[in-house]
Amino acid sequence: MGWLRDNALAVWLGVLLVSGILLTVVLGYVGLVVTTALGGGAGAVGVLSGLALPYLPIVAVLVVATVISGLGFSWSLLRRLSIPRSERLQSAAERVEREYPAIDGLGLSETVAPPEPSTEDALDDLKRRYVAGEIDEPTFERKLDRLVANESVDDVRAAREREAVLDERSSERSS
């Protein structure tokens, strides 16, 4: 599922191009047959009714595939755009998701949530404040120790969560 999510834009574009080209080819063929039949003196109703049975389901499937892949491509493209991120947008999106449960599956609140500051960002900020003289050396050392301790706690927590997921998957497979 991860590969598909990462490459959704390319997959939707591929399906859109293939279904669009096939739809164009089928409609072009039908148009050519109708034009040829009308040029030969056949009735339009008879020609169209003769083509409707074999080609109408094909055209319907291709139209549906083209529309769905066009919507999927548009949605994937919109998700990749630079979307502003803030806590206010996140809380508004969470309210909308609570109000309309159908929207909850789209992950809108996670998309607009501000990124979590990384340990490296916090360390860079701490160094900048120390060099600028905003904090003294004991404060710098204390905050640095706390930052390093938090990083190791996060690593242990992440390892535990990974192990729990792996154990859960192995128990599902053995069942």
Side-chain angles (χ1 to χ4, degrees):
M1 187 68 181
W3 180 88
L4 187 61
R5 181 178 294 251
D6 294 342
N7 298 304
L9 187 67
V11 170
W12 283 120
L13 179 61
V15 173
L16 177 63
L17 288 173
V18 168
S19 62
I21 290 170
L22 287 174
L23 182 61
T24 304
V25 168
V26 168
L27 289 177
Y29 176 73
V30 168
L32 182 66
V33 168
V34 169
T35 305
T36 305
L38 291 177
V45 175
V47 172
L48 289 176
S49 64
L51 289 174
L53 185 62
Y55 288 105
L56 192 58
I58 296 171
V59 169
V61 167
L62 288 174
V63 166
V64 168
T66 304
V67 168
I68 290 174
S69 60
L71 291 172
F73 176 73
S74 300
W75 178 253
S76 296
L77 188 63
L78 285 174
R79 288 185 64 120
R80 285 184 176 241
L81 292 177
S82 177
I83 297 174
R85 299 170 181 262
S86 71
E87 290 180 14
R88 289 179 67 185
L89 282 174
Q90 181 184 13
S91 65
E94 287 171 347
R95 280 193 303 264
V96 168
E97 288 173 343
R98 277 193 304 271
E99 187 72 28
Y100 303 102
I103 296 175
D104 190 29
L106 299 177
L108 186 61
S109 60
E110 290 89 19
T111 303
V112 297
E116 294 287 327
S118 68
T119 305
E120 292 147 4
D121 292 340
L123 183 60
D124 289 343
D125 185 50
L126 186 61
K127 287 178 185 176
R128 182 196 54 78
R129 291 177 59 204
Y130 177 67
V131 169
E134 295 176 16
I135 57 174
D136 57 356
E137 187 173 348
T139 305
F140 173 76
E141 293 292 331
R142 186 177 69 250
K143 290 186 180 223
L144 181 63
D145 288 341
R146 189 177 306 144
L147 188 61
V148 170
N150 282 344
E151 183 177 278
S152 62
V153 167
D154 288 342
D155 291 342
V156 169
R157 185 178 303 131
R160 247 188 271 138
E161 289 175 1
R162 251 191 319 273
E163 288 175 11
V165 168
L166 291 175
D167 288 344
E168 183 179 309
R169 286 184 184 169
S170 65
S171 66
E172 288 175 358
R173 288 180 186 156
S174 63
S175 299

